[in-house]
Amino acid sequence: MQTTVLIVLFGAVIVASLLAAPRRASVDGFFGGLGATGQVPGLWVLVLSQVTTWIFARSLMNAAILGYYYGIAGTLAYAAYYGSFLTGGFIVARLRRQGACSMQDWLGTRFGGVGNGCYNLVIALRLLSEVFANLLVVGLIFNAVLAGSGTGAILIVAVLGLAYSTWGGLSAALRTDVVQMVVFLAVFGVAFVALVTGADFDLAAVVTAQGTAGAYNGWVLLAVALLQVFSYPAHDPVMMDRGFIADEATTSKSFLHAFWISTLCIIGFGFFGIQASLQGAAYEEELIGTWSAMFPQWVFVALMVSLLVSALSTLDSALASASRLVVEELKLAPRTLNGGRLVMVAFMGAGTVLTLWGNATLFDAVAVSGTASMFLTPVLIVGLVMGREVALWGYLVAFGAAMIGAFAYFARSWPMVAAILPEGHKYEQLLVICICVVVAGFTGVLAGMQRG
């Protein structure tokens, strides 16, 4: 019964998304998000689109899992990444003030094709990880509620998500994001109210919880998030793409509203993980099995629907940004509807194949891409904020340091890499890596800064 209800509800969301997608799409709408008559999206369309594409399924699961292990410290550490809406809004405003139409526009002017190539490599990998991670959550959910159904569910969601994404590109993503966000808020809101009104819920215990593994590494991860939060939004094409659609005033407000809404949602979802730890529930299948045993069926179904909706909403936005990257920035496909659609098919196909790889550690993708993005911190602070010219070699030093750092964290279990890293928990190692990346990046950029 539980499985049937979940499938029916999620199927209804997919049907609603297909109906909300534009019937016809123009090239400008597909790549630039403009409406059928050329109008830009309004404030709350942008807000809901920003929020629903950032509180994606992987993030919700990360917040809950970190809450389970590290208590309120773990949840706050992940919520800190949502300060990216504030730093991202700041970066977008500065870029627009200098006449840039995108991150690539600004980087290309200063560092040419090489500078853009480095940046585009990082965001291409990020977009691929978004497709992979959200499909992976779909598989985890369906395997938990019906053993052996995960792969089939991934394939079905991939095909249906691709269907309406290729229909209208970014314009479809914006319209369906609104529908999906409204559904998410309603369903998650019901589940959250059930949680906090339950007899076993104690707010004081939740906000002081230490988690099953102690709070220390949660605070370590918070330090990592604070180091990464400036560069993190700049390497997220989904956020950056939405920063150049509407006028500056509307865009600025959209980032501010997206910040507080998404942060509250992430902390709220983290409460579910914290509550599981407080009740002494055993960790099962990324907490999905844990929740199934903890909550009434209708609360569990509401949680799963909210996760599935968030996965779907991120998939279409990631595909829209991938098509814009490949077509408009890399110019590897013609700027036509079919050109953009072929790119979407390629990214969805690659992401689907990666789900067969077997890595279900959801936070690793965040940590690796967040570390890779850190080359942008010194470049943006010195070049964008301070307005100083930086030599290409200084940019490449920062980029190289970030790539080495990201690889070191990814390969931390390899004997050769483990011999170099300090002994300790993986988050302690990540913090050391991030500090080294920041120091090396600023050293290179400041050394390459033109005196004036």
Side-chain angles (χ1 to χ4, degrees):
M1 180 64 180
Q2 176 179 276
T3 305
T4 303
V5 172
L6 183 63
I7 292 172
V8 169
L9 290 176
F10 186 48
V13 173
I14 293 177
V15 171
S17 299
L18 288 167
L19 294 174
R23 304 278 76 79
R24 291 180 298 176
S26 65
V27 171
D28 287 337
F30 194 94
F31 295 105
L34 300 182
T37 59
Q39 78 276 17
V40 298
L43 172 61
W44 286 102
V45 171
L46 279 179
V47 171
L48 294 177
S49 182
Q50 290 271 40
V51 173
T52 192
T53 52
W54 258 63
I55 54 169
F56 38 81
R58 182 184 70 190
S59 288
L60 295 171
M61 291 304 302
N62 282 336
I65 292 167
L66 292 173
Y68 178 86
Y69 281 117
Y70 311 116
I72 195 65
T75 292
L76 290 178
Y78 204 79
Y81 278 100
Y82 287 76
S84 293
F85 280 113
L86 301 180
T87 54
F90 173 79
I91 291 168
V92 165
R94 287 278 181 154
L95 290 172
R96 294 181 67 153
R97 198 175 304 161
Q98 295 187 18
C101 298
S102 65
M103 272 296 299
Q104 289 96 333
D105 189 12
W106 187 84
L107 289 171
T109 300
R110 284 153 183 78
F111 306 109
V114 174
N116 261 344
C118 293
Y119 176 77
N120 287 333
L121 172 64
V122 171
I123 67 170
L125 292 175
R126 174 170 174 79
L127 287 168
L128 187 58
S129 78
E130 291 304 296
V131 175
F132 152 71
N134 284 280
L135 286 175
L136 183 62
V137 171
V138 171
L140 289 170
I141 290 171
F142 277 93
N143 269 333
V145 298
L146 183 63
S149 65
T151 301
I154 286 172
L155 294 175
I156 292 170
V157 171
V159 170
L160 293 176
L162 188 62
Y164 77 80
S165 298
T166 55
W167 200 334
L170 184 54
S171 61
L174 289 168
R175 290 178 61 166
T176 56
D177 283 348
V178 174
V179 174
Q180 291 157 358
M181 189 60 200
V182 169
V183 172
F184 171 85
L185 288 174
V187 175
F188 176 63
V190 169
F192 184 75
V193 169
L195 172 72
V196 298
T197 57
D200 296 328
F201 184 83
D202 182 344
L203 181 60
V206 168
V207 298
T208 57
Q210 301 295 300
T212 59
Y216 171 74
N217 285 313
W219 297 123
V220 171
L221 192 56
L222 177 59
V224 170
L226 294 176
L227 284 174
Q228 294 183 351
V229 74
F230 187 80
S231 61
Y232 202 85
H235 94 301
D236 180 70
V238 172
M239 179 183 286
M240 289 294 104
D241 285 353
R242 283 156 177 75
F244 296 89
I245 300 174
D247 63 86
E248 293 186 37
T250 299
T251 300
S252 178
K253 291 177 183 177
S254 75
F255 276 90
L256 183 60
H257 288 308
F259 162 68
W260 69 263
I261 295 172
S262 59
T263 301
L264 288 178
C265 289
I266 286 295
I267 293 174
F269 217 90
F271 278 16
F272 283 91
I274 296 172
Q275 183 67 14
S277 71
L278 290 173
Q279 291 186 211
Y283 183 91
E284 296 180 32
E285 301 166 357
E286 304 288 336
L287 286 181
I288 295 170
T290 303
W291 288 330
S292 179
M294 278 179 58
F295 298 118
Q297 281 197 1
W298 69 269
V299 175
F300 174 72
V301 169
L303 279 173
M304 295 306 100
V305 170
S306 62
L307 282 170
L308 291 170
V309 170
S310 63
L312 188 65
S313 68
T314 303
L315 285 172
D316 57 27
S317 294
L319 294 177
S321 290
S323 67
R324 201 194 77 80
L325 169 67
V326 173
V327 172
E328 297 203 321
E329 300 297 342
L330 299 179
K331 303 189 187 311
L332 296 178
R335 193 176 188 272
T336 61
L337 295 179
N338 285 337
R341 287 163 178 163
L342 285 174
V343 174
M344 289 183 171
V345 171
F347 268 77
M348 185 66 93
T352 303
V353 169
L354 283 175
T355 62
L356 306 176
W357 176 30
N359 181 9
T361 307
L362 296 176
F363 183 73
D364 276 1
V366 176
V368 171
S369 71
T371 305
S373 77
M374 291 181 73
F375 77 97
L376 292 166
T377 297
V379 171
L380 291 173
I381 288 177
V382 175
L384 183 65
V385 180
M386 297 173 58
R388 305 297 291 271
E389 293 294 326
V390 178
L392 176 60
W393 66 264
Y395 174 92
L396 292 176
V397 167
F399 177 77
M403 293 304 104
I404 292 172
F407 175 77
Y409 184 74
F410 174 78
R412 63 189 179 277
S413 62
W414 298 8
M416 180 177 67
V417 178
I420 300 172
L421 293 175
E423 291 186 9
H425 189 273
K426 62 181 180 180
Y427 295 157
E428 293 176 306
Q429 294 177 328
L430 179 60
L431 179 59
V432 171
I433 289 170
C434 289
I435 292 171
C436 291
V437 168
V438 168
V439 171
F442 269 104
T443 300
V445 168
L446 290 173
M449 183 178 71
Q450 294 184 9
R451 307 291 183 237

